[in-house]
């Protein structure tokens, strides 16, 4: 749209109302924008990413701040630990603060195994690169001829551009570089360092509350999120006999802790991921009350070591994922995922979760000696095998 | 307040049965939408409500009640609603700090074997003090006690017998003595029969409360599995105590929860099907 020549030099306010629109964008938003969060489209709650994009989709867009995600571990604790590491790595990339608690491994070991993020541009903290770029001569090979107006803009995207995205991808074959990891503030709780007479869960709750209060996450004007990762609660190393006996003596120690955790999270800007070895807990009613005290609950069942590992039907996947609970906070209805049968696969650059169903094989493909999964691939295109025997 | 549920239960905010103990129960489902119905129903009926919100924060109940047309903050300021926020009060006991006053109502968290006497005294003191005597306070209707949800007390270590004692004491005070109503939510898990002999716990609590109550609404998933348009079924059971012994009347409905309410319909008449 060509503006008339005489109005180009005038300031906007003096233009006649017939030539320009009086639209002004209202930036009076009440939500404080914290990097790495976004409001939910369903009920306006603040969401953070779990680090796994397909899991975010399952949970309704992300993990709501103030809630707990319960992950029932798979038998060898490989994939649940992976999701915990994704969660913590996402916190590092978004510059949230971390709180890691474990009884078996040192939290420092968990933090050293975080996967490396795949960023499009230069990594977050390399300020030494900037002066080098700016003293390149302007008439270098990069001199722009068509888009010359953009010549003077910095060549590197600022770090904020990558952290304002919601959800990142990680390369699990590499670990996160120490400079990136050390830039994030991590609080640790390693149980052998806290010998207590009282239950270890109350020591953990007290420590978490101290961190929240000291770093100011419970103040209404807090500007950052605390990500809490609790590894393998309910295992015997936490001083709990839930996983050892059919009728544990203190069956309510873990549930009381989860109640206190919910109280802490609801009153502060934090989010927690808890993994529980549910395959060791025999009491189903107890598992039910643990699930109800957490807001989101998923269970992982990996195929490793079972006969399903060699079953051709499951050959594309590493395991099954069950969604046991999705919260409906601040609203009446909740959004369960459409598919109830979900399977996951850990690839190098992505953890995918897909709806899973058995493919019916072609009539003619049964003559093939290849597995039926082959016919699943042929379903999408014209099948070369004859339809009639 | 769900209008269809009002017509099923034959009650309106202007006229409802008094001295009633309503039990909401669910099995592998979520009946908490019914608690929001009863909360907004009794607030609209200008009753004095004591709400023990043990599982969620106040802002959660407030946000949903806003959508149903009732403001909890206003009701609290006027003195109509007494809200016990279990989560917030429990922190003062679970993480004891010097200089912080400990909440009396949730004192049972310190030693769950003691029982729920302190919680009962909280309920009694909040509902017995009628607001008619002081200047400026309005006269409210019959007192109502709402509990969401009572089975979390089992998770906190309280004995099922102690919870049944608590509900019996509350019923004696609220329903018989003060001629008010009581609504409790109890949540169950797993199959109905075939427990591994574990009688202490949710099943015992459910059976005991079902025996004490006068009206139950039992929420379950559909027997045929998960469906997006029909969220489950509700079984309404009246246990009338007429002079010539009890006779029960049962009705079964299916329901769907929306953003601003829930719709109830007879089996097979869902709008998605017809």
């Amino acid at each position: 749209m060509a503006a008339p020549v005489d109005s180009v030099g005038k300031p906007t306010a003096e233009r006649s109302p017939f030539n320009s629109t009086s639209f002004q964008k209202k930036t009076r938003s009440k939500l404080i924008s914290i990097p790495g969060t976004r409001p939910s489209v369903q009920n306006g709650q603040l969401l953070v990413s779990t680090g796994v994009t397909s899991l975010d989709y399952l949970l309704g867009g992300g993990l709501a701040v103030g809630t707990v995600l319960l992950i029932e571990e798979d038998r060898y604790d490989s994939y649940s630990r992976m999701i915990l590491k994704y969660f913590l790595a996402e916190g590092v990339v978004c510059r949230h603060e971390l709180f890691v608690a474990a009884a078996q491994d040192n939290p420092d070991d968990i933090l050293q195994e975080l996967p490396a993020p795949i960023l499009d541009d230069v990594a977050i903290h390399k300020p030494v690169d900037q002066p080098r770029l700016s003293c390149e001569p302007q008439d270098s090979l990069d001199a722009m001829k068509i888009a010359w107006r953009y010549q003077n803009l910095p060549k590197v995207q600022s770090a904020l551009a990558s952290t304002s995205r919601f959800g990142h991808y990680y390369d699990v074959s590499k670990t996160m570089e120490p400079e990136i990891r050390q830039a994030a503030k991590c609080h640790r709780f390693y149980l052998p360092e806290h010998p207590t007479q009282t239950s270890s869960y109350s020591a953990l709750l007290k420590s978490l509350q101290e961190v929240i209060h000291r770093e100011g996450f419970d103040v209404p004007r807090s500007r950052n999120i605390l990500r809490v990762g609790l590894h393998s609660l309910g295992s015997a190393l936490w001083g709990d006999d839930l996983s050892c006996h059919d009728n544990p003596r203190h069956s309510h120690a873990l549930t009381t802790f989860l109640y206190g955790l919910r109280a802490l999270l609801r009153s502060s800007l934090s989010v927690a991921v808890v993994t529980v070895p549910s395959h060791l807990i025999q009491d189903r009613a107890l598992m039910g009350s643990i699930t109800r005290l957490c807001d989101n609950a998923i269970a992982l069942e990996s195929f490793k070591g079972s006969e399903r590992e060699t079953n051709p039907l499951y050959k594309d996947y590493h395991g099954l994922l069950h969604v046991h609970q999705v919260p409906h906070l601040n609203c009446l209805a909740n959004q369960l995922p459409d598919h109830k049968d979900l399977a996951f696969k850990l690839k190098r650059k992505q953890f995918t979760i897909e709806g899973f169903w058995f493919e019916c094989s072609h009539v003619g493909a049964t003559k093939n000696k290849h597995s039926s999964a082959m016919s699943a691939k042929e379903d999408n295109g014209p099948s070369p095998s004859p339809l009639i025997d | 307040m769900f209008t269809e549920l009002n017509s099923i239960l034959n009650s309106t905010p202007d006229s409802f049965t008094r001295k009633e103990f309503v039990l909401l129960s669910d099995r592998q489902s979520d009946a908490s939408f019914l608690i929001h119905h009863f909360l907004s129903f009794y607030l609209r009926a200008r009753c004095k409500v004591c709400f023990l919100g043990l599982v969620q924060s106040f802002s959660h109940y407030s946000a949903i009640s806003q959508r149903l047309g009732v403001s909890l903050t206003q009701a609290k300021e006027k003195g109509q609603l007494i809200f016990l926020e279990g989560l917030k009060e429990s922190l003062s006991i679970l993480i004891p700090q010097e200089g912080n006053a400990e909440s009396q109502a949730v004192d049972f968290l310190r030693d769950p074997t003691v029982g729920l006497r302190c919680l009962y005294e909280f309920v009694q003191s909040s509902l017995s003090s009628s607001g008619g005597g002081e200047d400026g306070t309005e006269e409210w209707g019959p007192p109502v006690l709402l509990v969401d949800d009572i089975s979390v007390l089992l998770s906190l270590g309280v004995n099922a017998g102690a919870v049944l004692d608590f509900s019996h004491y509350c019923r004696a005070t609220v329903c018989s003595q003060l001629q008010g109503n009581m609504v409790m939510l109890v949540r169950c898990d797993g199959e109905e029969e075939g427990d591994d002999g574990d009688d202490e716990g949710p099943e015992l609590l459910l059976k005991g409360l079902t025996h004490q109550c006068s009206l139950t609404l039992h929420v379950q998933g559909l027997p045929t599995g998960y469906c997006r348009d029909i969220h489950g079924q509700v079984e309404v059971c009246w246990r009338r105590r007429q002079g010539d012994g009890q006779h029960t009347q049962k009705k079964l409905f299916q329901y769907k929860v929306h953003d601003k309410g829930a719709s109830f319909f007879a089996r097979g008449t869902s709008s998605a099907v017809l």
Side-chain angles (χ1 to χ4, degrees):
Chain A
M1 188 182 86
V5 176
D6 54 336
S7 68
V8 166
K10 286 188 198 155
T12 323
E14 289 179 359
R15 281 202 203 150
S16 71
F18 300 104
N19 282 347
S20 66
T21 159
S22 59
F23 172 73
Q24 272 178 358
K25 185 174 170 194
K26 288 206 177 127
T27 49
R28 204 173 22 105
S29 64
K30 295 208 178 104
L31 293 171
I32 42 174
S33 62
I34 306 174
T37 65
R38 73 170 173 200
S40 156
V41 293
Q42 281 143 23
N43 49 17
Q45 273 181 301
L46 203 58
L47 300 176
V48 295
S49 168
T50 52
V52 180
T53 345
S54 22
L55 186 59
D56 287 342
Y57 173 70
L58 273 187
L59 299 175
L63 202 50
V65 173
T67 60
V68 181
L69 168 63
L70 171 75
I71 303 180
E72 295 185 32
E73 293 176 8
D74 52 310
R75 197 169 290 267
Y76 303 105
D77 190 26
S78 37
Y79 298 105
S80 44
R81 199 187 165 98
M82 196 67 233
I83 297 185
L84 185 64
K85 287 190 284 190
Y86 272 118
F87 176 72
L88 296 172
E90 181 73 23
V92 171
V93 171
C94 297
R95 299 215 199 138
H96 298 159
E97 289 194 25
L98 305 182
F99 180 99
V100 187
Q104 183 180 350
D105 306 309
N106 200 324
D108 287 322
D109 295 340
I110 300 180
L111 287 170
Q112 268 164 13
E113 293 171 9
L114 296 185
I118 303 172
L119 292 172
D120 306 327
D121 39 51
V122 180
I124 303 177
H125 296 285
K126 294 219 174 136
V128 290
D129 282 0
Q130 304 275 359
R132 247 195 310 133
L133 287 168
S134 61
C135 50
E136 272 176 12
Q138 289 298 326
D139 52 354
S140 65
L141 292 164
D142 298 328
M144 299 181 192
K145 295 207 167 53
I146 298 174
W148 49 272
R149 280 208 188 271
Y150 299 100
Q151 181 77 50
N152 295 325
L153 289 179
K155 288 197 169 85
V156 181
Q157 274 182 10
S158 62
L160 253 95
S162 66
T163 53
S164 64
R165 237 174 57 199
F166 188 83
H168 298 84
Y169 292 99
Y170 299 89
D171 188 343
V172 296
S173 58
K174 305 185 204 145
T175 56
M176 192 182 268
E177 287 172 27
E179 299 113 41
I180 309 180
R181 195 180 0 115
Q182 274 146 20
K185 207 162 173 188
C186 302
H187 307 275
R188 294 160 185 80
F189 183 95
Y190 185 37
L191 187 63
E193 290 168 7
H194 296 253
T196 55
Q197 298 298 323
T198 59
S199 99
S200 39
Y201 291 131
S202 44
L204 173 59
L205 198 64
K206 196 167 163 60
S207 165
L208 181 58
Q209 205 242 6
E210 277 169 16
V211 167
I212 289 179
H213 190 66
R214 193 177 61 220
E215 305 290 328
F217 288 106
D218 49 0
V219 187
R221 298 183 59 83
S222 163
R223 302 212 43 118
N224 205 351
I225 309 261
L226 177 69
R227 287 188 183 228
V228 180
L230 306 175
H231 182 249
S232 228
L233 291 185
S235 72
L237 290 169
W238 283 98
D240 212 351
D241 53 354
L242 282 182
S243 41
C244 309
H245 298 133
D246 279 346
N247 292 320
R249 251 177 318 128
H250 301 292
S251 55
H252 58 269
L254 177 57
T255 42
T256 313
F257 168 76
L258 289 174
Y259 189 77
L261 178 67
R262 178 186 270 204
L264 278 180
L265 294 185
R266 294 282 201 267
S267 57
S268 63
L269 275 183
S270 9
V271 62
V273 167
V274 174
T275 69
V276 168
S278 62
H279 52 95
L280 296 174
I281 298 176
Q282 304 299 327
D283 190 354
R284 300 321 301 168
L286 180 60
M287 232 14 255
S289 46
I290 291 176
T291 307
R292 278 196 295 272
L293 279 169
C294 301
D295 306 291
N296 306 271
I298 62 172
L300 296 174
E301 183 191 332
S302 88
F303 295 146
K304 253 196 252 189
S306 74
E307 70 269 7
R308 289 182 185 173
E309 198 174 2
T310 46
N311 191 334
L313 288 168
Y314 295 111
K315 121 177 152 64
D316 288 331
Y317 300 105
H318 285 141
L320 298 178
L321 185 140
H322 309 279
V323 177
H324 287 316
Q325 192 169 257
V326 176
H328 52 103
L329 288 181
N330 300 334
C331 60
L332 274 174
N334 61 357
Q335 299 271 55
L336 280 171
D338 288 343
H339 281 294
K340 294 291 266 187
D341 304 308
L342 301 159
F344 66 86
K345 184 175 174 81
L346 176 63
K347 298 193 268 214
R348 188 167 72 97
K349 294 199 176 173
Q350 205 182 2
F351 186 99
T352 47
I353 301 170
E354 298 171 346
F356 170 75
W357 55 88
F358 296 109
E359 294 276 355
C360 2
S361 50
H362 263 298
V363 171
T366 49
K367 287 216 88 181
N368 274 338
K369 287 301 167 196
H370 296 295
S371 63
S372 55
M374 261 285 268
S375 66
K377 291 197 180 73
E378 292 170 349
D379 269 340
N380 297 330
S383 165
S385 57
L387 282 178
I388 304 171
D389 305 353
Chain B
M1 184 170 80
F2 311 148
T3 39
E4 282 161 357
L5 188 57
N6 280 345
S7 55
I8 291 174
L9 298 177
N10 255 339
S11 57
T12 63
D14 302 319
S15 77
F16 53 88
T17 350
R18 307 209 2 188
K19 294 163 71 161
E20 211 171 37
F21 176 9
V22 182
L23 182 70
L24 311 171
S25 56
D26 63 30
R27 186 174 293 278
Q28 290 182 334
S29 189
D30 194 1
S32 45
F33 67 100
L34 292 173
I35 276 277
H36 298 292
H37 158 81
F38 282 107
L39 177 60
S40 54
F41 177 87
Y42 285 117
L43 282 176
R44 262 186 229 237
R46 296 185 53 83
C47 292
K48 182 150 191 205
V49 176
C50 174
F51 189 94
L52 304 183
L54 300 173
V55 281
Q56 298 286 1
S57 58
F58 177 74
S59 49
H60 165 78
Y61 297 111
S62 181
I64 300 185
S65 301
Q66 200 83 24
R67 288 187 204 214
L68 297 178
V70 168
S71 167
L72 290 195
T73 2
Q74 264 181 17
K76 228 168 53 154
E77 281 166 17
K78 286 192 286 189
Q80 186 189 7
L81 171 67
I82 296 153
F83 193 97
L84 174 72
E85 193 171 348
L87 288 173
K88 204 168 68 162
E89 310 284 328
S90 68
L91 276 183
S92 62
I93 303 220
L94 290 177
I95 311 175
Q97 281 165 354
E98 308 85 25
N100 243 3
E102 288 182 358
S103 167
Q104 288 305 310
V106 288
D107 212 32
F108 60 89
L109 283 172
R110 206 177 303 141
D111 184 13
T113 52
V114 167
L116 295 170
R117 190 191 181 91
C118 38
L119 193 60
Y120 164 69
E121 280 165 6
F122 172 81
V123 170
Q124 189 189 31
S125 60
S126 45
L127 286 180
S128 297
S129 57
S130 51
E134 303 164 20
D135 315 310
T137 54
E138 305 177 41
E139 183 76 47
W140 300 112
V144 176
L145 170 68
L146 289 152
V147 183
D148 175 26
D149 66 74
I150 201 142
S151 36
V152 78
L153 295 171
L154 295 177
S155 310
L156 294 172
V158 183
N159 203 356
V163 180
L164 286 172
D165 289 342
F166 167 75
S167 81
H168 175 75
Y169 268 76
C170 287
R171 188 166 66 112
T173 311
V174 175
C175 297
S176 307
Q177 193 183 348
L178 299 172
Q179 316 225 332
N181 286 0
M182 211 161 86
V183 180
M184 282 196 184
L185 171 63
V186 62
R187 307 191 66 185
C188 261
D189 208 43
E191 307 306 311
E192 208 161 308
E193 294 102 23
D195 254 357
D196 27 331
D198 187 32
D199 246 352
E200 298 289 319
E203 297 296 326
L204 178 65
L205 182 62
L206 177 64
K207 285 182 196 163
L209 288 176
T210 314
H211 177 76
Q212 289 180 6
C213 70
S214 57
L215 167 67
T216 66
L217 282 93
H218 185 64
V219 175
Q220 257 180 313
L222 290 178
T224 43
Y226 169 68
C227 170
R228 212 162 13 138
D229 297 305
I230 306 172
H231 291 158
Q233 63 184 34
V234 180
E235 191 178 347
V236 185
C237 182
W238 285 268
R239 314 175 81 239
R240 303 218 182 279
R241 287 188 171 82
Q242 309 292 349
D244 52 347
Q246 295 192 6
H247 63 275
T248 59
Q249 182 196 8
K250 284 195 194 186
K251 279 195 196 169
L252 189 70
F253 294 94
Q254 289 175 343
Y255 71 92
K256 178 175 176 166
V257 181
H258 310 297
D259 201 35
K260 285 189 191 275
S263 54
F264 295 81
F265 35 85
R267 260 188 301 185
T269 60
S270 157
S271 54
V273 169
L274 291 178

